Amino acid sequence: MSESSSNIIGLLKKQLLDFKTQASTEEVGTVIEAGDGVVRATGLSNAKSAELLEFQNGTLGWALNLEEDTVGAVILGESEGIKEGDTVKSTGRILSVPVGDQLIGRVVNALGQALDGKGAIQSDKYYPVEKIAPGVMFRKSVDRPVQTGLRAIDAMIPIGRGQRELIIGDRQTGKTAIAVDAIINQKGEDMICIYVAIGQKESKIAKIVTELEKHGSMDYTIIVMAGASHPASLQFLAPYSGCAMAEYFLDKGKDVLIVYDDLSKHANSYRQISLLLKRPPGREAFPGDIFYLHSRLLERACCIDKQFGGGSITALPVIETQAGDLSAYIPTNVISITDGQIFLEADLFYKGIRPAINVGLSVSRVGSAAQIKAMKKIAGKMRLELAQYRELAVFAQFGSDLDAGTKKQLDRGARLTEILKQGQYVTTPVEMQVAIIYAVTTGLTDDVTVDEIQKFMEEMFKYLKTSHSKVMTELKEKKELIPEVESALKHAIEDFKIVNKKS
Amino acid sequence: MKTTPRNYAKALAALLKTQPVTAELVQNFVKILRKSHQEKMLNRIVNIAEQILIEENGEIKVDVISASEMTEKNIADLGKMIESATNLKPLISYKVDKGLKGGVKLRVKDYMIDASVSGKIEMMKRSFES
C-alpha cells in the first residue's frame, strides 16, 4: 500500500474515532402552505430574520417573514418536492455564497453553484449575501477612472472607480451593450468584472458569454445568472450574491466592476415575493421597502481608503424605462441613489446615433475627478461645442442663410457627433480618444467632411498605432497633455493628414 | 384589527375548558370564522388550541418516530424519561419509519431530537465534507 493511501486511511480512521455519536437537537417547524416559491411554516419559534432554513428534501429557504405563529420563507430553488406537512429546520446560519479566485471565468447561479458545466465550484471561503456597507471613515473620494472604451462616456460622462453610474433607457436602446463594452475594455486594466444577469433571456446571456470569451474577457469576469426561467427568489438574491463575490476582491485591495442587468426585473421579483408573503402593497404594488432594496445594494459599491486596504467596487446598475418615462417609481428611486446616469434614447438610436446617449440628460456627479488630465483638458471644450451645436442646429433648420462662423460651428458639432458614434464590441483606448477629440476640437479636421470623419478617425487610429506608437505610449503613461506630448501629437496628426491625402 | 389565529385558539381553548364539544359550539365557531373570512385557518386554530390545552393541563405532546416497532414497555420507559426531564406528563404518539435504519427521533414542540442511525450517518457525511 502506498504512503499516500495509508495517510488517507489514517486520516479517515482518526475522523471516525473523533466522531461524536450523541443525539442532535434541531429547531424544526412544519410546512402549512407551500407554493409559488414561498412557504409558510409553523414552529421555528427561534428563527431569525434572513436565517437559512432547510426543507426535508434538502432545498434551502430564506426566512423573510417572522409572524406571531408562522414563518414565511422563500424557497431558494425549485418548489417541487416541498409539500404541506413537511418538516423544515433552522440551520442557524445566514445565507452565504462561495467566493474566491476560482469563480473567475465561471457562470454561476445566485447561490454560487456552477451552471457552465465546467465542474462544481470548490471554495473554502463564504461571504454573507447581506452585509452592511462600509462606513464613511473607510471610504475615500473617487479619483481614478474606469475607462469604458466608449468615447461618448469617457469624454462627457466619465465613470470613476467606486462610483455608481446608472444606465437607463427603453428596451433595445443599447444598455447591455454599454455594460458589455465596458467589461471588454477592462482587459489589462487590473479590474475584476462581475456581470449579474437578473431575469434575462438565457439566449441573451449565452450570447454575452460568447462575446466575452471571444475578446478574452472571461479571464477576469464572473457571470452570476438568475435567468427568466429561474425562481423569483434567485432573481431577488442574484445582485446581493454578485456583490458578496465582489467584496471578496475588494477586501484584497482589488478593483471590481459590477453590472446589475437589470434592477427593474429585480424590483419585479421582489414585488412578487412580497405579495406572495402577503406584505402590504404600496405604490404600483411594490412593498414599502423597495427603495431600501436597491439603496443597501448600491451603497456597497465604494472606494476604500488605502490605509484600509484600498480597492473599489464600481457599480453599473441598469434600469429599463417604459416610453422614456424617467419619472416612474423605480427609475426615480435608483436615479436618486446613484452618482449619475447615462440616459439612452430610442429616437437617437433609430437616427443612427449609437450609443444613443442623450448627453443633455446624462450626468456623472463625479465628473472630471474621474478623468485623466489629458481628457479633462479637451473634454470640457468638446462638451461646450456640442451644447452650442445643439442650440444652433435647432435654428439652422429654419434659416437658409448662415454666416461662415455659424456654418463652421455647425460642421464642428456634426463632426463631434460623428466621432462619438461607435460600433458594438469596438472599444477605443483612452489615448486614442484623446487624440481624436483633440484633432476635432483644435480644428485639425476642419477640412474633413462630416461624411468622411468616421473613416478618417479609423485610419488615424491605425496610423498612430503603427507609425507614432511612441507618442501614444507616452500619452497613455503620462496621462497628461504636457506641451511636449501635445506638440508631438499635433505633429503626428498633421503627418497622418498628409499621408491620408496622398492615398 | 384582524384577529389572529392564536387569539381564536385562546378563545376556543378557554371555551373548551368550561364546556364540552357540542355540534352547536362547533357550528357557531365556524360561523364566526366564515364571517371574518378566516375559515381556512380552522385547522391551524384547532392545532394551536390543542397545544394550549395540553400545556395548561401540565402535559407535553411528543411525536416519536422509530425505526422498528416499539413495545409498551419501551414507550413507558420513554415516557418516564421525558417526564423526568421536563416535569410534564408526556402524550406520546408514535409511528414507524424504517428509513431511520435504527434509533428514534423525538419531536417535542419546536425541537427535533435525532438519535437515529440515518441522522448520525448524515452528520458523519457532513463532517467528512467539511
Side-chain angles (χ1 to χ4, degrees), chain B residues 12-113:
Chain B
L12 184 62
L15 215 53
L16 290 175
K17 273 200 295 197
T18 56
Q19 38 185 291
V21 180
T22 59
E24 196 189 340
L25 179 76
V26 170
Q27 219 171 24
N28 287 341
F29 190 71
V30 170
K31 270 186 197 167
I32 291 167
L33 288 180
R34 195 170 287 164
K35 204 172 166 187
S36 54
H37 307 290
Q38 296 213 66
E39 57 269 32
K40 283 183 189 170
M41 303 289 175
L42 183 60
N43 253 351
R44 210 192 312 169
I45 291 167
V46 166
N47 286 337
I48 298 171
E50 184 190 19
Q51 198 64 38
I52 293 170
L53 287 169
I54 287 171
E55 281 170 17
E56 284 181 2
N57 285 345
E59 292 166 334
I60 187 164
K61 195 172 170 204
V62 181
D63 296 326
V64 178
I65 310 157
S66 168
S68 54
E69 291 285 340
M70 289 176 76
T71 62
E72 281 190 29
K73 189 179 180 301
N74 291 146
I75 296 169
D77 287 342
L78 189 62
K80 279 180 195 162
M81 190 180 79
I82 293 167
E83 193 167 358
S84 69
T86 60
N87 285 329
L88 296 167
K89 187 165 172 250
L91 297 172
I92 296 175
S93 65
Y94 99 96
K95 65 176 185 182
V96 174
D97 179 2
K98 286 189 168 37
L100 297 184
K101 306 274 188 286
V104 289
K105 272 187 183 178
L106 300 178
R107 173 86 183 258
V108 181
K109 277 182 154 183
D110 294 341
Y111 292 92
M112 178 78 84
I113 301 162

Side-chain angles (χ1 to χ4, degrees), chain A residues 69 214 220 223 234 239 249 292 383 386:
Chain A
D69 286 308
K214 204 164 99 181
Y220 52 85
I223 309 276
L234 294 182
F249 296 104
Y292 183 53
R383 206 174 296 136
L386 273 173

Side-chain angles (χ1 to χ4, degrees), chain A residues 19 117 358:
Chain A
F19 183 73
N358 182 325

